[in-house]
Amino acid sequence: MNPRPTPSPFSPIAIGPLTLKNRFIKSATNEGMSAQGVPSKQLVKLHSALVAGGTAMTTVAYCAVSDDGRTLPNQLTLTPSSVPHFKALTDGVHQSGGLASAQITHGGCFTFIRERSTKRPLSASGGFNKIGLMSGMFLKQAMNEDDMQQVVSDFAQGARLARQAGFDAVEIHMGHGYLLSQFISPMYNKRRDQYGGSLENRLRFPRQVLRAVLDAVGKDMAVICKYSVTEGVRAGNSAEDGAQIARMLEEEGAHLLVLSAGMNAESITTMFGSSFPKENRVQQKNKIIALAMAIQRRKEPTVEFRELYLLEHARKVRAAVKMPLAYLGGAKSLASIEKIMAEGFDLVAMGRVLLAENDYVNKLESGASRDSICTACNRCVAMMYTPGGTSCVLGKPGDAVLNSQKAADR
């Protein structure tokens, strides 16, 4: 148990150079609200509504740092030409009283983009690419030193572009099976050089990325790392490994860690804490995505949702480091949030709950609500492929017209 006084979840907190008005962060979720690789007007509307509803900082997901770093064709990409559209989003968030974080990422071999600058998608190691079963790219390419330096430069430039676009923070995605996670995970990293083998070696390249981003923007922006504390499979990293990873990221100077879990291909229920029932899936017209969903449905056992499903793992990280930590995983009631605070976590990150009720934080603070209406049905995940983008099945669908319009277009 944490010996420090338990803070109110509605009290301010300093994260690097930032001060958040309370302890609530909208976690990064792929909303399917990008128009030709830039934010749509619907995305601006959603993130503005989230902070107007009380969330201190909202995270804009999957901002690729290069064209090769994209996982899907319309994915948000940080480029000089996209800055005005991202700026329209951050302006909307700031006008609504909150802060904005850009999640910067590179998919590595977890990609469905066939048009790329390399013959094969890059990863920690080469050889068979199991993700390629769904995209036709059956082989991946091990990165060399030049490739790594290019990606380090891409992340630093992505962070600078995020700063130019008005973001208050950047969140480096090191989890869920994307490129940096592919280096950290023993399932993907089979290298025999200084970037493979021990956990310390496997963190070497992700730490280089973190250091470059800190050097680029760390005095002006909060630099956050999101990673998988446990990968949820026997061959992957455990929570004990997750605690060691946290120590290394703290040593490198990260301002905040967001504690996620699981891998997209191997352990999606570890990430979401519950299964994706067939009856809660939308009909998917994209054949590749439909196949991916079908594979996940067959391979994953049925898991029933329980609140705070990742707390047991997150506690090991809390015991290992002193730095600020954001708990993520099944907080959907005031009682759960207060428990997180009492156990020494500094912030709570929420995804599905805030998609279900954009104003949930205001409802909590006013006493109008204690329990979220979210049922953890996970249909919001599949809804990102609908014309209006992500929405909760209990509410209205997204606006397809706004979702087709670029944020800065008039």
Side-chain angles (χ1 to χ4, degrees):
M1 190 64 70
N2 177 43
R4 298 174 295 175
T6 301
S8 163
F10 307 105
S11 63
I13 184 171
I15 300 296
L18 284 185
T19 298
L20 280 64
K21 66 182 180 182
N22 60 41
R23 307 302 178 98
F24 294 92
I25 297 175
K26 164 61 174 61
S27 65
T29 55
N30 190 346
E31 284 101 18
M33 296 179 184
S34 53
Q36 301 172 48
V38 301
S40 69
K41 292 183 184 295
Q42 178 68 6
L43 191 67
V44 176
K45 180 181 178 181
L46 172 65
H47 285 282
S48 299
L50 287 164
V51 297
T55 302
M57 183 164 69
T58 186
T59 311
V60 180
Y62 301 117
C63 300
V65 296
S66 67
D67 285 344
D68 281 359
R70 295 173 298 159
T71 57
L72 293 167
N74 287 327
Q75 185 174 341
L76 295 172
T77 309
L78 283 161
T79 64
S81 62
S82 71
V83 166
H85 302 284
F86 281 107
K87 185 67 164 57
L89 190 156
T90 60
D91 284 347
V93 167
H94 294 151
Q95 290 164 12
S96 297
L99 303 174
S101 174
Q103 184 188 69
I104 54 177
T105 186
H106 190 298
C109 67
F110 194 96
T111 181
F112 299 93
I113 305 293
R114 296 181 66 90
E115 299 77 25
R116 50 197 322 104
S117 64
T118 57
K119 182 178 180 181
R120 300 166 182 166
L122 298 176
S123 187
S125 299
F128 176 65
N129 179 21
K130 58 187 166 185
I131 305 302
L133 291 173
M134 295 179 282
S135 64
M137 293 179 285
F138 302 117
L139 296 174
K140 56 187 177 179
Q141 180 175 321
M143 294 175 69
N144 59 32
E145 289 276 0
D146 288 342
D147 296 325
M148 290 183 209
Q149 289 309 308
Q150 181 60 56
V151 171
V152 167
S153 176
D154 289 341
F155 268 96
Q157 176 64 2
R160 285 189 287 265
L161 289 170
R163 179 180 59 189
Q164 186 179 337
F167 282 97
D168 307 283
V170 287
E171 178 183 278
I172 305 171
H173 201 338
M174 296 185 174
H176 300 171
Y178 300 108
L179 179 62
L180 300 183
S181 176
Q182 289 159 28
F183 272 82
I184 296 171
S185 174
M187 291 190 293
Y188 285 83
N189 188 338
K190 307 298 182 182
R191 300 177 73 102
R192 297 182 178 180
D193 61 4
Q194 62 179 329
Y195 297 99
S198 68
L199 185 59
E200 183 176 7
N201 280 357
R202 301 199 308 272
L203 259 291
R204 192 180 303 276
F205 174 55
R207 287 182 68 164
Q208 289 174 358
V209 170
L210 171 56
R211 172 46 46 199
V213 171
L214 282 164
D215 289 345
V217 300
K219 294 181 180 179
D220 304 321
M221 306 173 75
V223 178
I224 303 164
C225 294
K226 181 178 185 176
Y227 77 105
S228 297
V229 172
T230 175
E231 292 176 355
V233 289
R234 185 173 297 178
N237 287 320
S238 66
E240 288 75 18
D241 297 317
Q244 292 185 53
I245 292 167
R247 291 191 193 101
M248 286 184 263
L249 297 177
E250 179 180 45
E251 182 181 288
E252 200 62 52
H255 298 138
L256 172 70
L257 302 183
V258 175
L259 307 180
S260 189
M263 304 287 272
N264 283 319
E266 294 84 4
S267 51
I268 197 78
T269 55
T270 299
M271 191 188 310
F272 288 94
S274 56
S275 299
F276 286 30
K278 184 177 180 180
E279 61 271 21
N280 281 343
R281 292 174 182 269
V282 295
Q283 293 297 314
Q284 181 49 245
K285 295 180 180 179
N286 185 311
K287 293 181 180 180
I288 292 176
I289 302 302
L291 175 61
M293 288 180 172
I295 290 171
Q296 284 291 355
R297 190 160 61 239
R298 284 197 299 270
K299 72 183 285 190
E300 291 271 336
T302 299
V303 175
E304 297 295 330
F305 177 84
R306 61 183 175 87
E307 286 200 54
L308 303 184
Y309 57 88
L310 292 178
L311 183 55
E312 173 187 351
H313 302 301
R315 283 177 177 140
K316 295 176 182 178
V317 179
R318 181 67 287 171
V321 297
K322 297 179 180 179
M323 69 179 298
L325 301 176
Y327 175 85
L328 172 61
K332 59 189 295 290
S333 67
L334 183 59
S336 290
I337 293 163
E338 289 176 339
K339 181 175 180 60
I340 290 166
M341 295 291 112
E343 296 220 11
F345 296 95
D346 304 275
L347 302 101
V348 57
M350 297 187 292
R352 291 167 289 187
V353 166
L354 293 176
L355 292 175
E357 296 175 275
N358 296 168
D359 59 348
Y360 183 56
V361 176
N362 281 347
K363 288 177 179 176
L364 286 177
E365 188 168 23
S366 69
S369 177
R370 291 180 61 90
D371 299 324
S372 169
I373 65 172
C374 177
T375 63
C377 72
N378 294 326
R379 185 167 177 177
C380 56
V381 179
M383 289 293 285
M384 69 183 179
Y385 300 109
T386 62
T390 298
S391 62
C392 178
V393 67
L394 301 175
K396 295 180 179 179
D399 187 322
V401 174
L402 286 182
N403 205 30
S404 67
Q405 300 171 350
K406 296 180 180 181
D409 287 356
R410 297 186 180 278

